[in-house]
Amino acid sequence: QLVEYGGGVVQLGGSLRLSCLVSGRPIRIYRMGWYRQVAGDQREWIGTIPGIGSADYADSVKDRFVISRDNDRNTLYLHMSNLRREDTATYFCKLESFDHVAYWGQGTQVTVSS
């Protein structure tokens, strides 16, 4: 089970940290990622972090967003800074199992306001 939290309303240019608490699987061995979706649009990939190694990011968030994980807390994080209006979306975390099954959380809403 994946549960995202930490969303909310943030001012333009502000920062926010999203969390994704995972239960049932140790996240340290899995490839995990963050996605976002605006109603009516396709889900957009933000970035992925492997079990070992560095994260990759979409160009739209590179240098503004950072993915990290706390293996002891079994939690994935998305640190967002310099937020823009176009970052307004529902944010989802994803865990990829070894047999390529994707597990998703329910999402958390982020709204960037001016």
Side-chain angles (χ1 to χ4, degrees):
Q1 183 182 10
L2 287 72
V3 178
E4 303 95 338
Y5 57 96
V9 179
V10 60
Q11 287 203 332
L12 196 64
S15 300
L16 199 63
R17 186 185 76 170
L18 305 183
S19 303
C20 174
L21 176 63
V22 180
S23 58
R25 295 174 183 264
I27 67 168
R28 67 182 183 277
I29 62 174
Y30 291 102
R31 183 179 181 86
M32 298 195 66
W34 284 97
Y35 291 71
R36 65 187 180 189
Q37 188 171 23
V38 175
D41 289 349
Q42 288 191 335
R43 197 162 290 188
E44 176 191 7
W45 173 72
I46 293 172
T48 301
I49 186 168
I52 297 175
S54 302
D56 290 316
Y57 300 92
D59 288 343
S60 60
V61 304
K62 199 173 293 185
D63 299 326
R64 298 189 301 121
F65 290 11
V66 176
I67 296 175
S68 67
R69 64 170 78 204
D70 184 332
N71 293 333
D72 291 336
R73 297 178 185 272
N74 224 42
T75 300
L76 183 73
Y77 298 103
L78 179 64
H79 307 262
M80 305 184 293
S81 61
N82 192 19
L83 283 161
R84 305 168 180 170
R85 289 188 187 84
E86 55 264 37
D87 295 320
T88 294
T90 301
Y91 285 71
F92 299 88
C93 64
K94 173 187 171 183
L95 181 148
E96 299 178 20
S97 70
F98 296 139
D99 54 357
H100 306 294
V101 175
Y103 296 88
W104 296 91
Q106 83 292 344
T108 186
Q109 176 68 34
V110 173
T111 301
V112 182
S113 72
S114 55

